[in-house]
Amino acid sequence: MIPIAPIFVRSKEILEQLSSLLDEERTAYGKQDSEVIIDLSAKKQTLLDEMNQLNEKRVNILIKFDIVDRKKPTEEAFKDWLSLQDSSMDNVRLLMQECEALLKTCKTKNNTNARVLNTLQKRNKHLFELLQGHSSKNKVYTARGSTRPISSKHTLGRA
């Protein structure tokens, strides 16, 4: 029997932890707690690194047992092989389905957090420009064709 069930078990644990961290991250964005956000980012990166190592290990096992093509291993080839196996691989099928569902949940949460972060960044940039005396209406073109705000100290009205 191919020893991939433990890999899926650990992958499921990682995805559950990642989902929890993404929930914590969203809360931290709401509280605008930068220390917690940085700490959570480091924890997420550690989990993602371990997940990548597990995926490499899984692919290497599948190549070793000649389940997927050595030159171009694909997830579809593994799924096709798995669908042809008897009931002894039901636990692997179930773990794989659970991992896919968790991965979809994590992607949704991550995209939501990215939108929240983007909104916060835009708001903070706007507030910073206001503090500097810039206005989104007072912009000039640079030599490269982009725009930049001009300071209220240098406007025509102050001349």
Side-chain angles (χ1 to χ4, degrees):
M1 186 153 149
I2 300 170
I4 56 173
I7 293 173
F8 280 110
V9 168
R10 182 62 188 142
S11 293
K12 180 181 172 188
E13 291 169 356
I14 290 172
L15 288 167
E16 288 169 342
Q17 291 172 2
L18 186 59
S19 179
S20 176
L21 286 177
L22 289 166
D23 290 336
E24 290 178 41
E25 183 180 57
R26 180 142 186 219
T27 302
Y29 285 153
K31 293 178 182 175
Q32 297 182 21
D33 190 342
S34 59
E35 288 180 19
V36 172
I37 293 168
I38 291 169
D39 183 51
L40 290 171
S41 293
K43 289 178 181 177
K44 284 189 332 184
Q45 189 60 53
T46 301
L47 289 175
L48 292 173
D49 289 343
E50 185 179 352
M51 186 65 116
N52 284 335
Q53 290 172 351
L54 283 172
N55 281 333
E56 286 178 25
K57 185 177 179 181
R58 181 176 61 92
V59 168
N60 288 336
I61 289 172
L62 295 176
I63 289 172
K64 181 180 176 183
F65 283 90
D66 246 358
I67 294 170
V68 295
D69 183 23
R70 189 172 295 278
K71 294 178 184 174
K72 191 177 177 186
T74 64
E75 197 68 27
E76 288 304 314
F78 171 64
K79 287 180 180 179
D80 290 344
W81 174 84
L82 190 59
S83 68
L84 299 173
Q85 302 308 304
D86 61 11
S87 62
S88 66
M89 296 295 280
D90 283 348
N91 65 330
V92 173
R93 283 188 202 94
L94 180 61
L95 284 167
M96 189 170 165
Q97 289 172 351
E98 290 172 344
C99 285
E100 286 176 343
L102 282 166
L103 181 61
K104 186 176 179 181
T105 300
C106 286
K107 285 181 178 180
T108 301
K109 288 180 180 183
N110 192 55
N111 288 336
T112 300
N113 288 355
R115 286 194 304 272
V116 169
L117 180 60
N118 188 32
T119 301
L120 288 173
Q121 286 174 330
K122 284 180 182 177
R123 188 190 74 198
N124 288 342
K125 180 181 177 192
H126 178 71
L127 291 174
F128 182 66
E129 287 176 352
L130 286 175
L131 286 172
Q132 289 182 320
H134 298 167
S135 168
S136 60
K137 295 177 185 173
N138 298 335
K139 295 206 179 209
V140 294
Y141 284 101
T142 64
R144 290 196 166 124
S146 60
T147 59
R148 68 172 175 82
I150 56 173
S151 173
S152 60
K153 292 184 240 176
H154 302 355
T155 60
L156 241 38
R158 292 211 175 233

